[in-house]
Amino acid sequence: MIDLFILETCPYCLKVMKYLDDNNIEYRKIDTSNPASENSLIQIGGKRQVPFLVDNDRNIQMYESNDIIEYLKTIV
């Protein structure tokens, strides 16, 4: 399953979530306004930037909404 680290107010996060929802791609939303989730984001990705996608099934991690969407197009 895909994990997506987000902030609800982030327009780039909203863009990725819309793509996921529009294409019926199952994902787990992890809101980094929670300090524990933010710490996990930093441990995994190395920085506080969102959106951050983690696809453990394919061993993929990436930042940048446009890059994430392009990647998602390859798995639909």
Side-chain angles (χ1 to χ4, degrees):
M1 174 176 299
I2 291 171
D3 290 336
L4 185 66
F5 288 84
I6 58 104
L7 277 172
E8 290 289 347
T9 57
C10 166
Y12 302 106
C13 297
L14 295 173
K15 176 181 173 180
V16 173
M17 288 188 294
K18 179 173 178 5
Y19 183 86
L20 287 160
D21 293 339
D22 288 350
N23 290 278
N24 299 314
I25 300 171
E26 190 176 333
Y27 67 103
R28 182 171 64 131
K29 182 171 43 172
I30 304 170
D31 190 339
T32 59
S33 64
N34 174 321
S37 296
E38 182 182 36
N39 287 337
S40 292
L41 167 64
I42 294 167
Q43 283 181 332
I44 296 167
K47 52 187 173 179
R48 194 172 270 118
Q49 180 180 331
V50 290
F52 180 63
L53 176 133
V54 178
D55 184 346
N56 287 315
D57 295 339
R58 294 171 185 86
N59 199 28
I60 298 291
Q61 299 176 353
M62 66 179 58
Y63 293 98
E64 301 298 334
S65 59
N66 289 335
D67 292 343
I68 292 170
I69 290 170
E70 286 304 310
Y71 168 71
L72 292 170
K73 289 177 182 178
T74 70
I75 65 168
V76 174

